[in-house]
Amino acid sequence: MKTLFAMDLIGSKAVRLIKGDFTKVTVYSEDPVAKIEEMIDRGARDFHIIDLDGARTGKRVHHEIIKNIRLKVDGYMETGGGIRAEDDIKYYSELGVNGIIVGTQALEDDSFFQRLSIFSNIILGLDLLGGKPMSRGWKTTVDKDVREILEASERIGIMAVLCTSIARDGMLSGPDYEGMEVLLKMTKLPVIASGGVTSIDDVKRLKDMGAWATILGKAVYEGLIKIEEAVKYAD
Protein backbone atom coordinates (compact mmCIF):
# COMPACT_ATOMS: atom_id res chain seq x y z
CA MET A 1 0.00 0.00 0.00
CA LYS A 2 1.15 3.53 -0.74
CA THR A 3 1.11 6.05 2.09
CA LEU A 4 0.33 9.33 0.35
CA PHE A 5 1.17 12.45 2.33
CA ALA A 6 -1.36 15.14 1.57
CA MET A 7 -0.95 18.82 0.93
CA ASP A 8 -3.83 21.16 0.11
CA LEU A 9 -3.08 24.54 -1.45
CA ILE A 10 -5.00 27.78 -0.91
CA GLY A 11 -3.54 31.21 -1.59
CA SER A 12 -0.09 29.66 -2.19
CA LYS A 13 -0.11 28.21 1.33
CA ALA A 14 -0.28 24.63 2.63
CA VAL A 15 -3.57 24.24 4.51
CA ARG A 16 -6.13 21.73 5.73
CA LEU A 17 -9.90 22.15 5.78
CA ILE A 18 -12.62 20.50 7.84
CA LYS A 19 -15.13 18.63 5.65
CA GLY A 20 -14.02 20.74 2.69
CA ASP A 21 -15.32 23.93 4.33
CA PHE A 22 -13.34 26.90 2.99
CA THR A 23 -14.27 28.93 6.08
CA LYS A 24 -12.51 26.42 8.34
CA VAL A 25 -8.91 26.70 7.19
CA THR A 26 -5.77 25.88 9.16
CA VAL A 27 -2.52 27.11 7.62
CA TYR A 28 0.39 24.72 8.16
CA SER A 29 3.03 26.38 6.00
CA GLU A 30 3.55 29.63 4.11
CA ASP A 31 6.08 27.79 1.90
CA PRO A 32 4.59 24.56 0.51
CA VAL A 33 7.72 23.48 -1.34
CA ALA A 34 9.87 23.85 1.77
CA LYS A 35 7.26 21.87 3.73
CA ILE A 36 7.46 19.07 1.17
CA GLU A 37 11.25 19.03 1.50
CA GLU A 38 10.89 18.78 5.28
CA MET A 39 8.52 15.82 4.91
CA ILE A 40 10.88 14.12 2.46
CA ASP A 41 13.73 14.55 4.95
CA ARG A 42 11.60 12.65 7.47
CA GLY A 43 11.05 9.75 5.07
CA ALA A 44 7.97 10.70 3.04
CA ARG A 45 8.20 9.52 -0.55
CA ASP A 46 4.76 9.60 -2.14
CA PHE A 47 2.43 12.62 -2.18
CA HIS A 48 -1.16 13.73 -2.80
CA ILE A 49 -1.32 17.42 -3.77
CA ILE A 50 -4.63 19.25 -4.19
CA ASP A 51 -5.15 22.72 -5.65
CA LEU A 52 -8.16 23.77 -3.56
CA ASP A 53 -8.41 27.15 -5.25
CA GLY A 54 -8.52 25.21 -8.52
CA ALA A 55 -11.28 22.97 -7.20
CA ARG A 56 -13.27 26.03 -6.17
CA THR A 57 -12.79 28.04 -9.39
CA GLY A 58 -12.80 25.19 -11.91
CA LYS A 59 -9.38 25.98 -13.36
CA ARG A 60 -5.86 25.20 -12.22
CA VAL A 61 -4.36 27.91 -10.00
CA HIS A 62 -1.31 26.51 -8.20
CA HIS A 63 0.26 24.67 -11.13
CA GLU A 64 3.61 26.45 -10.70
CA ILE A 65 3.85 25.36 -7.06
CA ILE A 66 2.84 21.84 -8.06
CA LYS A 67 5.53 21.89 -10.75
CA ASN A 68 8.13 22.87 -8.17
CA ILE A 69 6.91 20.16 -5.79
CA ARG A 70 7.20 17.55 -8.56
CA LEU A 71 10.86 18.54 -8.99
CA LYS A 72 11.47 17.64 -5.33
CA VAL A 73 9.52 14.37 -5.23
CA ASP A 74 11.28 11.24 -6.43
CA GLY A 75 8.38 8.89 -5.67
CA TYR A 76 4.76 8.66 -6.77
CA MET A 77 2.78 11.90 -6.89
CA GLU A 78 -0.84 12.58 -7.70
CA THR A 79 -2.60 15.89 -8.04
CA GLY A 80 -6.10 17.25 -8.46
CA GLY A 81 -8.22 20.37 -8.20
CA GLY A 82 -9.66 22.28 -11.13
CA ILE A 83 -8.71 19.62 -13.70
CA ARG A 84 -11.66 19.86 -16.06
CA ALA A 85 -10.09 19.71 -19.54
CA GLU A 86 -7.80 17.40 -21.47
CA ASP A 87 -5.22 20.19 -21.69
CA ASP A 88 -4.98 20.19 -17.87
CA ILE A 89 -4.37 16.44 -17.89
CA LYS A 90 -1.68 16.80 -20.55
CA TYR A 91 -0.04 19.67 -18.65
CA TYR A 92 0.33 17.72 -15.42
CA SER A 93 1.29 14.53 -17.27
CA GLU A 94 4.13 16.39 -18.97
CA LEU A 95 5.33 17.51 -15.53
CA GLY A 96 5.69 13.84 -14.62
CA VAL A 97 2.71 13.66 -12.28
CA ASN A 98 1.85 9.97 -11.92
CA GLY A 99 -1.84 10.27 -11.09
CA ILE A 100 -4.23 12.95 -12.35
CA ILE A 101 -7.35 13.25 -10.20
CA VAL A 102 -10.51 14.12 -12.11
CA GLY A 103 -13.81 14.45 -10.29
CA THR A 104 -16.44 17.04 -11.18
CA GLN A 105 -15.99 17.06 -14.95
CA ALA A 106 -15.91 13.28 -15.19
CA LEU A 107 -19.04 12.86 -13.10
CA GLU A 108 -21.03 15.61 -14.81
CA ASP A 109 -19.94 15.26 -18.45
CA ASP A 110 -20.31 11.75 -19.88
CA SER A 111 -18.56 12.66 -23.12
CA PHE A 112 -15.51 13.96 -21.23
CA PHE A 113 -15.55 10.86 -19.04
CA GLN A 114 -15.43 8.58 -22.10
CA ARG A 115 -12.54 10.55 -23.60
CA LEU A 116 -10.45 9.81 -20.51
CA SER A 117 -9.84 6.37 -22.04
CA ILE A 118 -6.92 7.83 -24.02
CA PHE A 119 -4.99 8.47 -20.79
CA SER A 120 -3.33 5.85 -18.59
CA ASN A 121 -2.90 7.92 -15.41
CA ILE A 122 -6.44 9.03 -14.49
CA ILE A 123 -7.70 8.73 -10.93
CA LEU A 124 -11.44 9.18 -10.49
CA GLY A 125 -12.21 11.34 -7.48
CA LEU A 126 -15.25 9.75 -5.89
CA ASP A 127 -16.26 11.97 -2.97
CA LEU A 128 -19.10 10.46 -0.98
CA LEU A 129 -21.53 11.99 1.49
CA GLY A 130 -24.13 9.65 2.89
CA GLY A 131 -23.29 7.20 0.13
CA LYS A 132 -23.98 9.79 -2.59
CA PRO A 133 -21.27 11.11 -4.96
CA MET A 134 -20.63 14.84 -4.73
CA SER A 135 -19.03 17.32 -7.13
CA ARG A 136 -17.97 20.98 -7.40
CA GLY A 137 -15.91 21.05 -4.24
CA TRP A 138 -18.36 18.76 -2.41
CA LYS A 139 -21.24 21.20 -2.89
CA THR A 140 -23.41 19.40 -5.48
CA THR A 141 -24.96 15.92 -5.38
CA VAL A 142 -24.38 13.83 -8.51
CA ASP A 143 -27.46 11.85 -9.54
CA LYS A 144 -25.58 8.67 -10.40
CA ASP A 145 -25.25 5.27 -8.79
CA VAL A 146 -21.82 4.53 -7.33
CA ARG A 147 -21.75 0.99 -8.73
CA GLU A 148 -22.53 2.26 -12.23
CA ILE A 149 -19.76 4.87 -11.95
CA LEU A 150 -17.27 2.19 -10.93
CA GLU A 151 -18.33 -0.16 -13.73
CA ALA A 152 -17.93 2.63 -16.28
CA SER A 153 -14.53 3.47 -14.81
CA GLU A 154 -13.38 -0.11 -15.32
CA ARG A 155 -14.57 -0.10 -18.93
CA ILE A 156 -12.68 3.05 -19.91
CA GLY A 157 -9.47 2.12 -18.11
CA ILE A 158 -9.38 4.46 -15.13
CA MET A 159 -6.13 3.85 -13.20
CA ALA A 160 -7.57 4.04 -9.68
CA VAL A 161 -10.45 5.40 -7.63
CA LEU A 162 -9.90 7.95 -4.87
CA CYS A 163 -12.71 7.51 -2.37
CA THR A 164 -13.11 10.32 0.15
CA SER A 165 -15.51 10.15 3.07
CA ILE A 166 -16.55 13.81 3.21
CA ALA A 167 -18.14 13.48 6.64
CA ARG A 168 -14.82 12.33 8.09
CA ASP A 169 -12.40 14.53 6.17
CA GLY A 170 -10.31 16.63 8.54
CA MET A 171 -12.28 15.38 11.54
CA LEU A 172 -9.68 12.94 12.95
CA SER A 173 -12.54 10.55 13.67
CA GLY A 174 -11.23 7.44 11.91
CA PRO A 175 -11.97 6.19 8.39
CA ASP A 176 -15.34 4.96 7.18
CA TYR A 177 -14.32 1.31 7.30
CA GLU A 178 -17.79 0.02 6.51
CA GLY A 179 -18.10 2.20 3.42
CA MET A 180 -14.58 1.31 2.32
CA GLU A 181 -15.30 -2.42 2.64
CA VAL A 182 -18.41 -2.05 0.48
CA LEU A 183 -16.51 -0.08 -2.16
CA LEU A 184 -13.64 -2.57 -2.29
CA LYS A 185 -16.14 -5.33 -3.03
CA MET A 186 -17.76 -3.28 -5.81
CA THR A 187 -14.70 -2.85 -8.02
CA LYS A 188 -11.51 -4.46 -9.22
CA LEU A 189 -9.89 -1.04 -9.58
CA PRO A 190 -7.21 0.03 -7.09
CA VAL A 191 -8.84 2.10 -4.34
CA ILE A 192 -7.26 5.04 -2.53
CA ALA A 193 -8.79 5.61 0.90
CA SER A 194 -9.18 9.18 2.12
CA GLY A 195 -10.87 10.88 5.03
CA GLY A 196 -10.50 10.44 8.77
CA VAL A 197 -7.20 8.53 8.97
CA THR A 198 -6.11 9.39 12.50
CA SER A 199 -3.71 6.77 13.83
CA ILE A 200 -1.10 4.30 12.68
CA ASP A 201 -3.65 1.59 13.47
CA ASP A 202 -5.90 3.10 10.79
CA VAL A 203 -3.05 2.86 8.29
CA LYS A 204 -2.43 -0.79 9.17
CA ARG A 205 -6.12 -1.70 9.01
CA LEU A 206 -6.63 -0.07 5.61
CA LYS A 207 -3.62 -1.94 4.29
CA ASP A 208 -4.99 -5.21 5.64
CA MET A 209 -8.35 -4.46 3.98
CA GLY A 210 -6.68 -4.19 0.59
CA ALA A 211 -6.60 -0.44 -0.06
CA TRP A 212 -4.09 0.40 -2.79
CA ALA A 213 -3.16 3.63 -1.03
CA THR A 214 -4.25 5.83 1.84
CA ILE A 215 -4.14 9.60 2.26
CA LEU A 216 -2.45 10.96 5.37
CA GLY A 217 -3.27 14.59 6.02
CA LYS A 218 -4.25 16.38 9.18
CA ALA A 219 -3.09 13.56 11.46
CA VAL A 220 0.46 14.00 10.16
CA TYR A 221 0.39 17.79 10.47
CA GLU A 222 -0.95 17.51 14.01
CA GLY A 223 1.65 14.92 14.98
CA LEU A 224 -0.81 12.07 15.59
CA ILE A 225 0.89 9.97 12.91
CA LYS A 226 4.65 10.15 12.52
CA ILE A 227 5.94 10.03 8.96
CA GLU A 228 8.77 7.75 10.02
CA GLU A 229 6.25 5.22 11.34
CA ALA A 230 3.73 5.48 8.52
CA VAL A 231 6.25 4.73 5.77
CA LYS A 232 6.93 1.32 7.38
CA TYR A 233 3.53 0.27 6.05
CA ALA A 234 4.26 1.46 2.53
CA ASP A 235 5.13 -1.06 -0.17
Side-chain angles (χ1 to χ4, degrees), residues 24 43 54 71 80 90 92 97 104-105 118 138 161 177 212 235:
K24 298 177 181 177
L71 292 172
K90 292 173 183 176
Y92 283 122
V97 176
T104 294
Q105 197 68 22
I118 67 173
W138 301 351
V161 176
Y177 289 118
W212 180 70
D235 296 330

Side-chain angles (χ1 to χ4, degrees), residues 54 67 71 120 155 157 183 204 211:
K67 176 181 178 180
L71 292 172
S120 61
R155 285 197 301 272
L183 194 78
K204 183 179 185 302

Side-chain angles (χ1 to χ4, degrees), residues 83-102:
I83 299 174
R84 299 187 186 172
E86 284 125 301
D87 284 347
D88 296 323
I89 297 170
K90 292 173 183 176
Y91 173 84
Y92 283 122
S93 296
E94 288 170 2
L95 292 185
V97 176
N98 307 96
I100 313 295
I101 303 164
V102 180

Side-chain angles (χ1 to χ4, degrees), residues 195-228:
V197 179
T198 303
S199 70
I200 201 66
D201 287 341
D202 291 332
V203 176
K204 183 179 185 302
R205 185 170 173 183
L206 287 167
K207 181 175 184 176
D208 291 343
M209 288 176 67
W212 180 70
T214 186
I215 308 296
L216 306 180
K218 188 174 182 179
V220 171
Y221 290 99
E222 297 288 343
L224 298 175
I225 296 178
K226 296 185 184 302
I227 291 174
E228 298 85 350

Side-chain angles (χ1 to χ4, degrees), residues 25-83:
V25 180
T26 301
V27 176
Y28 285 104
S29 177
E30 303 276 345
D31 188 339
V33 178
K35 187 66 175 178
I36 291 289
E37 290 181 300
E38 174 193 318
M39 297 169 80
I40 290 172
D41 288 343
R42 292 172 55 195
R45 174 176 171 81
D46 303 321
F47 290 88
H48 167 90
I49 312 297
I50 300 297
D51 179 353
L52 286 178
D53 284 328
R56 181 163 51 178
T57 63
K59 59 183 179 181
R60 62 179 193 257
V61 175
H62 291 109
H63 46 278
E64 286 296 327
I65 291 176
I66 293 171
K67 176 181 178 180
N68 290 330
I69 289 173
R70 176 72 262 191
L71 292 172
K72 302 293 182 182
V73 173
D74 290 330
Y76 171 91
M77 177 173 150
E78 61 186 32
T79 194
I83 299 174

Side-chain angles (χ1 to χ4, degrees), residues 127-134 141-144 146 166:
D127 305 322
L128 301 177
L129 184 63
K132 299 289 186 180
M134 305 292 288
T141 302
V142 178
D143 187 21
K144 291 184 178 180
V146 170
I166 295 173

